[in-house]
Amino acid sequence: MPRTARLTRDDWADAALTALTEGGSAAVAVEPVAARLQASKSSFYWLFDNRDALLAAALERWERVQTEEVLPRLAAVPDPADRLRVLIHHAFASTQGSSLALLLLVESDQPAVREVAERVTRRRLAAIRDTLVECGQTPEHARHIATAAYAVYLGTAALRRVDAAPDDDASAYIDTVLTAFGVPPRTGDAPHRQATPPAQPADPAAARRGIGR
């Protein structure tokens, strides 16, 4: 039976993001997403004109929750080295978030996906670069490190797809990445336990997918 509770655009976008993560953009279709929500197709058309509008809403929500709402919280961490530790632990711990970022880059031949994927990628790279500059790196060197660090992030997501990433010792792996890019853990600290992003509004559906975590 269809649900009686009124669903929002964000509810549909969340369900579409789950479908997108599991099966790529081809999996974002009205009927299967409606089935995930136990909703009727007619309720979908109250909120969206067509399937393309649903995909656009899903991509917009991904950008908003995983980037627009995350970067300002990270910017609130005053020490730039601490901010990098938080950022890297935050990024590498969000396995589903990195998997979706990789998938969208792979599917960037589609104009709707490319526009969002390119904008998010450039904004994330700029955030890493600017933080490295605050740490004393030259802008050019900071740009190179930011690109390499993001490539490692995406490469790790790719390795996870074939169970080849070192998730059995993820904390040590992340600390190694930090050190390789000139951000060694603070002496005596356990960054993988302490590097916690600033608090964010609760979003259970997003939390299940790793969005914004």
Side-chain angles (χ1 to χ4, degrees), residues 119-140:
R119 184 168 58 243
V120 167
T121 302
R122 290 185 181 280
R123 188 171 179 188
R124 291 175 173 181
L125 287 170
I128 301 170
R129 180 203 64 210
D130 293 347
T131 304
L132 285 164
V133 169
E134 286 187 61
C135 288
Q137 301 287 350
T138 66
E140 182 179 12

Side-chain angles (χ1 to χ4, degrees), residues 9-210:
R9 286 178 62 89
D10 279 349
D11 292 327
W12 283 92
D14 278 337
L17 273 178
T18 300
L20 182 64
T21 302
E22 294 174 354
S25 59
V28 180
V30 178
E31 288 190 9
V33 174
R36 286 176 181 272
L37 293 169
Q38 296 183 294
S40 64
K41 288 176 62 177
S42 61
S43 66
F44 167 84
Y45 287 107
W46 277 104
L47 298 170
F48 300 95
D49 290 335
N50 50 41
R51 176 263 181 190
D52 289 343
L54 176 61
L55 177 60
L59 293 170
E60 184 278 332
R61 183 152 175 78
W62 172 70
E63 180 176 14
R64 171 162 47 94
V65 175
Q66 286 214 11
T67 302
E68 291 180 2
E69 295 179 1
V70 171
L71 292 183
R73 291 195 297 272
L74 288 170
V77 178
D79 181 77
D82 285 346
R83 195 182 314 139
L84 280 174
R85 294 185 191 100
V86 172
L87 174 60
I88 292 176
H89 279 281
H90 169 74
F92 279 78
S94 179
T95 57
Q96 290 177 314
S98 60
S99 177
L100 183 53
L102 174 65
L103 184 149
L104 292 176
L105 287 176
V106 170
E107 296 203 357
S108 61
D109 56 325
Q110 300 183 46
V113 173
R114 181 182 179 86
E115 181 180 352
V116 177
E118 182 175 352
R119 184 168 58 243
V120 167
T121 302
R122 290 185 181 280
R123 188 171 179 188
R124 291 175 173 181
L125 287 170
I128 301 170
R129 180 203 64 210
D130 293 347
T131 304
L132 285 164
V133 169
E134 286 187 61
C135 288
Q137 301 287 350
T138 66
E140 182 179 12
H141 190 52
R143 179 170 57 84
H144 293 162
I145 294 175
T147 302
Y150 202 72
V152 171
Y153 164 71
L154 294 172
T156 302
L159 291 174
R160 285 190 179 117
R161 296 171 72 92
V162 292
D163 296 324
D167 285 335
D168 57 332
D169 194 9
S171 298
Y173 173 64
I174 293 171
D175 288 346
T176 300
V177 172
L178 282 163
T179 302
F181 292 108
V183 190
R186 289 172 293 186
T187 303
D189 280 356
H192 56 280
R193 294 178 182 172
Q194 296 183 7
T196 303
Q200 55 186 297
D203 186 344
R208 288 193 296 272
R209 283 194 318 280

